[in-house]
Amino acid sequence: MEYPGNLFVVAAPSGAGKSSLVKALLELDAKLDVSISHTSRAPRGQEQHGREYWFVGKDEFKAMAERGEFFEWAEVHGNLYGTSRAAIEARMTHGEDVVLEIDYQGALQIKQLFPYAVLIFILPPSWEELQQRLARRGDTDPEVIAHRMENARVEVAQARHFDFVVVNAVFDTAVFDLKSIVHAQRLKYAAQRRNRSAVFYALNLP
Ligand code: 5GP
């Protein structure tokens, strides 16, 4: 499948700082938009329907999946999450760049569908630091933390399948790294040809 816009996929174990990094990236880059996923999990805290996620029941989610309404979907930590076609197709057909903030299973499915998708994995600087960040985030129950750390080991092992790796040791450096990846992707020949067609035409470039 091919659309004119760029597709960036960001994955990380929980606690690595993925959401904050993507949020900072979006604030710096008006041409990027994040896709809002569907999930069967219940909203947490201040989360709003249509802002963080589209919250749907498990049956509705499964019906959507059966109707082929997701580009990818996966079970993560016992809940279902999916990227709906409608969420990104419209933007990408108009040449806009989209970021998906999803888990590694979804990222690998997206790469199968869109080989030109850019897969970025965010790593914590160490296991100790990840554990401390999870604890600071308010997950004080040692069992919950231990479970997340177990999941993190499985998730981190998938980083080698990704195109880029960003180590989130210093937040601002990691944001800069993300921004550089997005910028470099936009400068690729194929992307430039799509977006600077008048220049390419004038220079007789194929
Ligand atoms: P949370 O419930 O903490 O918001 O998210 C749990 C995990 O599910 C995170 O790794 C998040 O990136 C991932 N996730 C969110 N949306 C999607 C999606 O549409 N597809 C997949 N495969 N994973 C998702």
Side-chain angles (χ1 to χ4, degrees), residues 12 18 37-38 41 44 47 53 72-74 76-77 81-83 101-103 105-106:
K18 175 172 64 169
S37 296
H38 282 65
R41 81 152 163 79
R44 284 193 302 240
E47 287 181 339
Y53 286 105
E72 65 74 31
W73 66 272
V76 189
H77 312 149
Y81 296 85
T83 307
E101 202 190 315
I102 62 182
D103 90 311
Q105 305 170 81

Side-chain angles (χ1 to χ4, degrees), residues 13-197:
S14 87
K18 175 172 64 169
S19 301
S20 315
L21 286 172
V22 170
K23 191 165 171 265
L25 178 69
L26 293 175
E27 278 165 12
L28 286 173
D29 192 328
K31 282 184 284 177
L32 272 181
D33 214 343
V34 74
S35 153
I36 299 171
S37 296
H38 282 65
T39 181
S40 69
R41 81 152 163 79
R44 284 193 302 240
Q46 305 294 310
E47 287 181 339
Q48 280 176 25
H49 186 64
R51 193 178 64 185
E52 282 78 12
Y53 286 105
W54 298 105
F55 297 98
V56 293
K58 218 167 196 160
D59 290 344
E60 193 183 340
F61 189 102
K62 284 184 178 161
M64 285 182 74
E66 268 164 32
R67 291 196 299 265
E69 290 178 28
F70 293 122
F71 273 133
E72 65 74 31
W73 66 272
E75 184 169 335
V76 189
H77 312 149
N79 295 303
L80 305 175
Y81 296 85
T83 307
S84 81
R85 290 172 176 271
I88 56 177
E89 233 167 12
R91 290 197 188 97
M92 284 182 50
T93 355
H94 290 110
E96 287 164 36
D97 293 347
V98 176
V99 184
L100 305 181
E101 202 190 315
I102 62 182
D103 90 311
Y104 75 88
Q105 305 170 81
L108 299 178
Q109 290 180 56
I110 289 288
K111 191 73 174 181
Q112 296 289 318
L113 278 177
F114 304 95
Y116 62 89
V118 180
L119 266 49
I120 308 166
F121 202 94
I122 315 276
L123 285 177
S126 66
W127 295 121
E128 293 72 24
E129 177 64 24
L130 184 67
Q131 186 148 6
Q132 281 166 21
R133 286 185 192 170
L134 286 172
R136 275 202 299 271
R137 232 167 55 157
D139 296 320
T140 42
D141 182 348
E143 255 179 48
V144 173
I145 295 185
H147 187 60
R148 298 222 162 156
M149 289 299 292
E150 241 171 69
N151 287 333
R153 285 177 197 276
V154 175
E155 290 159 356
V156 162
Q158 301 297 320
R160 65 199 174 92
H161 301 300
F162 282 59
D163 301 305
F164 291 95
V165 169
V166 170
V167 177
N168 184 16
V170 177
F171 185 80
D172 289 348
T173 310
V175 174
F176 178 77
D177 290 346
L178 273 180
K179 180 88 190 85
S180 307
I181 295 166
V182 169
H183 192 58
Q185 177 64 18
R186 286 178 178 150
L187 297 180
K188 282 195 171 159
Y189 187 94
Q192 290 282 54
R193 192 183 49 193
R194 287 195 305 259
N195 298 317
R196 308 292 295 272
S197 52

